[in-house]
Amino acid sequence: MEGKKRYILKLEERYWRRRREGLLRSLSGKIVRSFETMPYLVIELNQTEVEQIRNLRGVMEVFEDEQATTQEQQIPWGVAVLAGPQVASQLGVNGSGVRVGVLDTGIDLQHPDLKVAGGIALTGDSFQDDNGHGTHVAGIIAAQDNSQGVVGIAPGVELFAIKALNSAGSGWYSDIAAGLEWAIKNRLDIVNLSLGGKQNNPLLRYAVKRAARAGILLMAAAGNAGNEEGKGDTVLYPARYPEVMAVGAIDRQWQRAPFSSTGPALDLVAPGVEILSTIPGGDYKVMSGTSMASPHITGLAALLKSAYPRLKAKEIRQRLTAGAIDLGSKGWDSWYGYGLPTGIQVLGKRKPR
């Protein structure tokens, strides 16, 4: 049996009302809609009936009806779990006044849901994203609250693109170190590093220490080197360094993602499975990884800094861990760190004085 589809009939404009009345009678039960002032009919037909209708006198054209969908702004599930924007709205903060760097593959400079204040290209000729990873990370942190697309945790931050990874998503440790040096020089407050490598490196270690001493809060993906059993010390560098907050990934059930790295260096966890965010070309995509978890905490840290500008990086770090919901074994553990921080726990319910 042929399936029916919804079609639009365009009637000959001369005497179209008379033609319409005739068709309404002959096609009774098939008409979906008629119009008072336009020479069109909407009708449900199968393919055989369509060919028959095309030959009727007074029918000029037959074409399929199309559907439109709502385009309102969405709050991705990870953003909702942290409840950052809701609490921040109550407190009157959105990350404004906080300078955040995304050390990654760059950021799409033309994306309508992102506002990039500046940046540097340490690979290639521009800090325009030629991979997509950095744009996705940036959207989790700072997608604009503009009634379209998605909204980030802290849409009011000053967002900087530090492009140290190439179009394939890889980059030299030395370029990452140069990116941290740039962050120090440009007085950034927080730098997100959704990247990782298995090897320690003296230059990277030195750059991390310098950035931390300069008062920059460093947030990094713990790594996707974990295993189903959650065994072993698998946190990658630079998340493994003590000056950096290592963030693992959880799913919608607040369970550790099987790929999420584990070990003594793990500090916190955040949503990192099926995360909707921005990608180049003005589009949106779902991605998974600890790369998606880290920017959730970066955004929350930016809200905290915005609400309490005098807080130092060390104090923000302490409040994030103190405001975490304990998951897994009681207290700190190698799967979840200190747990999942939320806006309510970290920011409080009262407006800052």
Side-chain angles (χ1 to χ4, degrees), residues 1-17:
M1 183 177 179
E2 292 184 88
K4 292 189 175 183
K5 292 184 179 180
R6 188 159 159 152
Y7 292 89
I8 298 172
L9 278 60
K10 181 181 180 182
L11 307 178
E12 185 180 5
E13 293 201 31
R14 188 180 184 186
Y15 308 128
W16 70 269
R17 286 185 173 84

Side-chain angles (χ1 to χ4, degrees), residues 167-220:
S167 60
S170 62
W172 298 105
Y173 275 21
S174 55
D175 287 340
I176 298 170
L180 292 175
E181 184 179 55
W182 186 89
I184 296 168
K185 183 179 179 181
N186 287 272
R187 300 179 181 276
L188 300 193
D189 297 299
I190 307 169
V191 174
N192 186 88
L193 300 110
S194 286
L195 48 82
K198 293 182 179 180
Q199 300 300 320
N200 185 17
N201 180 276
L203 172 58
L204 182 61
R205 183 80 180 93
Y206 186 83
V208 164
K209 284 184 175 181
R210 281 205 65 222
R213 281 200 299 267
I216 297 175
L217 180 62
L218 301 171
M219 207 73 63

Side-chain angles (χ1 to χ4, degrees), residues 9-27 31 34 39-41 56-60:
L9 278 60
K10 181 181 180 182
L11 307 178
E12 185 180 5
E13 293 201 31
R14 188 180 184 186
Y15 308 128
W16 70 269
R17 286 185 173 84
R18 188 183 303 170
R19 304 284 186 204
R20 180 189 65 177
E21 295 307 313
L23 288 170
L24 287 174
R25 287 192 296 270
S26 64
L27 298 173
I31 303 293
S34 63
Y40 292 88
L41 284 176
L56 290 180
R57 185 180 179 185
V59 176
M60 304 300 293

Side-chain angles (χ1 to χ4, degrees), residues 55-302:
N55 298 320
L56 290 180
R57 185 180 179 185
V59 176
M60 304 300 293
E61 190 178 357
V62 181
F63 51 94
E64 284 191 32
D65 202 353
E66 302 289 345
Q67 286 191 322
T69 58
T70 57
Q71 300 297 309
E72 75 272 13
Q73 180 173 269
Q74 297 183 53
I75 300 178
W77 79 267
V79 175
V81 164
L82 266 68
Q86 297 94 316
V87 177
S89 177
Q90 296 172 14
L91 299 178
V93 295
N94 66 355
S96 61
V98 182
R99 295 163 67 84
V100 177
V102 174
L103 204 160
D104 213 291
T105 62
I107 301 175
D108 182 10
L109 306 179
Q110 283 78 46
H111 201 293
D113 225 356
L114 294 172
K115 189 183 294 183
V116 182
I120 185 173
L122 299 160
T123 178
D125 300 322
S126 165
F127 48 84
Q128 168 68 29
D129 190 1
D130 53 6
N131 172 277
H133 188 272
T135 299
H136 199 272
V137 168
I140 296 169
I141 299 169
Q144 297 295 288
D145 190 1
N146 56 5
S147 301
Q148 66 173 314
V150 296
V151 62
I153 298 281
V157 301
E158 285 185 80
L159 189 64
F160 294 87
I162 307 172
K163 182 173 172 57
L165 305 183
N166 60 26
S167 60
S170 62
W172 298 105
Y173 275 21
S174 55
D175 287 340
I176 298 170
L180 292 175
E181 184 179 55
W182 186 89
I184 296 168
K185 183 179 179 181
N186 287 272
R187 300 179 181 276
L188 300 193
D189 297 299
I190 307 169
V191 174
N192 186 88
L193 300 110
S194 286
L195 48 82
K198 293 182 179 180
Q199 300 300 320
N200 185 17
N201 180 276
L203 172 58
L204 182 61
R205 183 80 180 93
Y206 186 83
V208 164
K209 284 184 175 181
R210 281 205 65 222
R213 281 200 299 267
I216 297 175
L217 180 62
L218 301 171
M219 207 73 63
N224 300 337
N227 50 67
E228 195 83 39
E229 298 77 20
K231 293 181 179 180
D233 184 1
T234 57
V235 176
L236 302 180
Y237 296 97
R240 201 176 178 93
Y241 295 134
E243 296 84 4
V244 181
M245 294 204 81
V247 185
I250 57 171
D251 61 20
R252 292 175 186 264
Q253 286 71 47
W254 294 20
Q255 297 297 309
R256 171 187 163 268
F259 56 76
S260 188
S261 290
T262 57
L266 189 66
D267 291 291
L268 297 168
V269 290
V273 177
E274 298 178 349
I275 304 301
L276 178 66
S277 187
T278 47
I279 59 170
D283 212 343
Y284 304 85
K285 181 180 179 180
V286 170
M287 296 175 69
S288 299
T290 56
S291 282
M292 285 67 249
S294 179
H296 280 91
I297 306 301
T298 294
L300 189 57

